[in-house]
Amino acid sequence: MAKTKKVLEAMDGNQAAAWSAYAFTEVAGIYPITPSSTMAEYADEWASKGKKNLFGTPVKIVEMQSEAGAAGTVHGSLQAGALTTTFTASQGLLLKIPNMYKIAGELLPGVIHVSARSIAAQALSIFGDHQDVMAARQTGFAMLATSSVQEIMDLAGIAHLAAIKSSIPFLHFFDGFRTSHEINTVEVMDYAVYDRLLDRDALAKFRARALSPNHPVSRGSAQNEDVYFQTKEVSNKYYLAVPEIVEDYMKEISKVTGREYHLFDYYGDKEATDIIIAMGSVSECIKEVIDYKMKNENKKVGLINVHLYRPFSVEHFLKALPKTVKRIAVLDRTKEAGALGEPLYEDIRNVFYGKENAPIIIGGRYGLSSKDTTPGQIFAVYDNLEKGLNAKNNFTIGIVDDVTFLSLPVTKEINVGDPSTSEMIFYGLGSDGTVGANKNTIKLIGDNTDFLAQAYFAYDSKKSGGVTRSHLRFGKKQIRSTYLVRHAKFISCSLDTYLTKFNMLQYLNEN
């Protein structure tokens, strides 16, 4: 199939998710929560301007007074036969869990887009990790992960297509702030592609199941010990079908975009001995490190980037895994206190349970509350892996743990990005206009020049009056550096007191 004509646009991850979601959505039950709010805002703005979905109508936006109310709206709307979506994060997702069990149990093809965020525990944090989505993995929703703004644009629609075809609801997630608010130049998906791939027969069957006085059915009953177990197990066949459905849609999207996607994407040496397994934005950083290690250190290393996390397909995972792998490090962006290991690590260990000549498998945590994950930390993970049986398990990267001594030391912080990429840091005062100006600048570059552009904005949760740091990159090649600028060729400061307050030149490039 010929690729469709490229339309390039600079946008953030939330806009990319909203773009795909809008095509398939008839009703959106919304309630704002950082960092997911702008997904609903985009949908609301487009609906108010009359933008049409695949079915020729603007999306009906229903804003509720709580996340639980939004979840109830989604459940009720799906029962009535309308394709329904919501956008959320953190405690907002947790408040939807009771409804999520019902939506999954009743085989309703709803979709939730989550800009994954920390859970308020010892303190609240508005920043990103996978604690929220990991707390919802038992609900029965299929879970699809994306790693970059382009991946969101390419794959978010699959959550809707696969939900409709499989009757299993989907939760599509990506890293809060790091991906949701990162502006990047992406190829925009043509709605005609979605229109061609939509399973109209499956959609008609969903509509036919809608609650209606014309064909009354019994729903929401109570069951006892005589039948509950059996009816719970009946759903198995639907979940067993999901991996192949998603894989088929990924093949179709790969043909259209020219970018290859699978449930588990492998990157690196085909005969790798040491690999990392991860989900989310860290995958892009790992790819940069792999390129460096293969070229400059002659190392046989690789990465498996997980897309379909639930249902977890052992068959597709093993197909992606090089036969030569001897050591595996699994990175989780969450902490499950008291557990033997984090969720993805436990799943990977389970894959190899009882298998002969299984690789050494270790696990570690990274990036909680948007803690920056740098190439130096990934080098440390690979260095730790090389120790084999002496490698530290249950490790952390990105912090110095002087209490339980689980952290890996960072011994080198090499610039693994493309040397031709221009990198800049702008220090500003919250609400002084620096961030807004930089957003406009990077969009102008991305939309009106032949440069590819990336922007990420770091600020504290107080926002107004606090220090802001705008991290801008642009260049001729794809920008995969999903971490703060550390080798700036230009640094700007809009408040003179910052010169004595911060080490302004810490991340200035050499020479």
Side-chain angles (χ1 to χ4, degrees):
M1 177 178 296
K3 288 172 68 175
T4 53
K5 186 184 175 188
K6 283 186 185 180
V7 177
L8 294 176
E9 189 178 336
M11 65 175 71
D12 65 20
N14 276 345
Q15 184 177 345
W19 173 263
S20 295
Y22 195 93
F24 299 95
T25 303
E26 292 171 305
V27 177
I30 64 170
Y31 185 80
I33 183 168
T34 305
S36 72
S37 303
T38 50
M39 285 188 273
E41 286 169 13
Y42 281 118
D44 195 11
E45 179 189 342
W46 296 333
S48 69
K49 291 177 179 175
K51 178 180 170 69
K52 291 184 171 63
N53 58 20
L54 291 183
F55 316 106
T57 59
V59 174
K60 179 174 176 57
I61 306 291
V62 184
E63 183 169 353
M64 302 301 288
Q65 293 184 345
S66 73
E67 285 95 345
T73 298
V74 172
H75 186 200
S77 176
L78 287 165
Q79 288 271 30
L83 293 175
T84 314
T85 306
T86 190
F87 314 96
T88 194
S90 191
Q91 256 79 8
L93 177 62
L94 269 55
L95 287 164
K96 291 176 170 60
I97 284 177
N99 278 281
M100 290 172 72
Y101 275 103
K102 291 291 293 179
I103 292 166
E106 292 165 353
L107 299 174
L108 300 171
V111 177
I112 302 178
H113 294 274
V114 179
S115 48
R117 179 188 134 181
S118 303
I119 296 294
Q122 78 282 6
L124 177 141
S125 170
I126 65 164
F127 295 99
D129 57 42
H130 298 162
Q131 290 182 67
D132 52 2
V133 292
M134 289 304 172
R137 69 186 190 277
Q138 74 287 352
T139 57
F141 268 60
M143 298 174 74
L144 185 72
T146 46
S147 312
S148 65
V149 183
Q150 185 64 68
E151 279 194 4
I152 294 172
M153 177 59 76
D154 292 345
L155 302 182
I158 290 178
H160 294 267
L161 289 165
I164 292 163
K165 191 175 181 71
S166 67
S167 295
I168 297 296
F170 267 70
L171 187 159
H172 162 238
F173 70 95
F174 46 91
D175 289 356
F177 282 103
R178 181 64 258 180
T179 313
S180 68
H181 283 58
E182 178 191 302
I183 297 171
N184 214 310
T185 309
V186 299
E187 285 181 36
V188 179
M189 183 64 70
D190 189 337
Y191 277 10
V193 175
Y194 293 149
D195 199 43
R196 177 175 62 81
L197 294 177
L198 180 63
D199 188 327
R200 303 279 172 179
D201 291 339
L203 180 59
K205 286 177 184 173
F206 162 64
R207 300 246 199 256
R209 287 197 290 131
L211 289 176
S212 166
N214 299 324
H215 45 85
V217 293
S218 176
R219 292 230 184 116
S221 62
Q223 293 176 342
N224 297 328
E225 83 289 351
D226 53 345
V227 296
Y228 182 92
F229 192 174
Q230 295 94 308
T231 53
K232 190 76 174 164
E233 290 293 316
V234 166
S235 67
N236 291 353
K237 62 181 181 181
Y238 293 94
Y239 288 92
L240 291 170
V242 168
E244 213 50 60
I245 289 170
V246 174
E247 181 72 13
D248 286 345
Y249 278 125
M250 284 183 167
K251 284 175 186 169
E252 292 299 319
I253 293 298
S254 299
K255 289 177 195 172
V256 172
T257 64
R259 289 176 287 276
E260 193 171 337
Y261 293 111
H262 300 282
L263 306 191
F264 302 90
D265 280 338
Y266 180 74
Y267 186 91
D269 193 298
K270 288 184 169 59
E271 297 180 344
T273 53
D274 295 39
I275 69 162
I276 292 173
I277 298 173
M279 291 188 286
S281 61
V282 74
S283 301
E284 299 299 299
C285 173
I286 296 169
K287 288 176 186 176
E288 287 188 331
V289 173
I290 288 170
D291 288 347
Y292 182 92
K293 288 181 78 67
M294 286 170 60
K295 181 181 177 183
N296 299 290
E297 299 178 2
N298 200 27
K299 297 286 189 182
K300 292 183 179 294
V301 293
L303 160 76
I304 288 182
N305 181 13
V306 179
H307 289 308
L308 187 69
Y309 178 54
R310 289 286 185 270
F312 194 101
S313 172
V314 173
E315 177 193 348
H316 289 85
F317 172 80
L318 292 174
K319 194 190 269 186
L321 182 79
K323 301 286 188 287
T324 49
V325 170
K326 291 182 169 59
R327 294 172 290 271
I328 296 174
V330 185
L331 294 183
D332 275 275
R333 199 163 199 163
T334 188
K335 181 173 176 63
E336 194 166 304
L340 289 173
E342 310 311 331
L344 182 58
Y345 165 71
E346 289 286 305
D347 288 333
I348 301 303
R349 280 177 59 94
N350 208 21
V351 167
F352 292 99
Y353 180 75
K355 283 190 167 58
E356 285 185 25
N357 303 315
I360 295 166
I361 305 168
I362 58 172
R365 293 178 295 285
Y366 75 99
L368 264 62
S369 185
S370 289
K371 180 72 77 175
D372 201 31
T373 307
T374 64
Q377 295 166 34
I378 302 304
F379 278 111
V381 173
Y382 280 119
D383 290 346
N384 183 48
L385 257 189
E386 285 186 5
K387 295 175 183 174
L389 292 171
N390 295 318
K392 183 177 284 188
N393 194 11
N394 198 29
F395 60 83
T396 58
I397 53 173
I399 62 172
V400 178
D401 176 6
D402 56 1
V403 179
T404 48
F405 307 104
L406 295 173
S407 54
L408 301 180
V410 173
T411 57
K412 54 191 172 192
E413 196 63 81
I414 300 166
N415 186 359
V416 295
D418 188 84
S420 65
T421 299
S422 294
E423 300 187 300
M424 296 159 284
I425 304 174
F426 291 77
Y427 284 80
L429 181 71
S431 71
D432 72 353
T434 303
V435 169
N438 281 314
K439 281 185 178 178
N440 291 336
T441 300
I442 213 70
K443 286 190 174 182
L444 283 167
I445 293 170
D447 292 345
N448 299 289
T449 74
D450 56 356
F451 286 105
L452 299 173
Q454 181 208 57
Y456 183 74
F457 307 95
Y459 40 77
D460 65 23
S461 53
K462 294 185 287 292
K463 295 176 183 169
S464 286
V467 62
T468 66
R469 294 175 302 282
S470 303
H471 296 258
L472 274 56
R473 293 181 173 100
F474 63 87
K476 297 284 188 180
K477 295 183 180 177
Q478 180 192 8
I479 299 168
R480 300 180 299 185
S481 307
T482 47
Y483 45 88
L484 304 180
V485 169
R486 305 182 75 83
H487 305 277
K489 295 174 183 174
F490 175 84
I491 294 177
S492 161
C493 176
S494 59
L495 197 67
D496 53 5
T497 56
Y498 286 175
L499 293 169
T500 54
K501 207 172 191 179
F502 301 106
N503 184 355
M504 298 293 295
L505 305 183
Q506 181 182 3
Y507 296 124
L508 187 65
N509 201 37
E510 284 184 33
N511 305 315

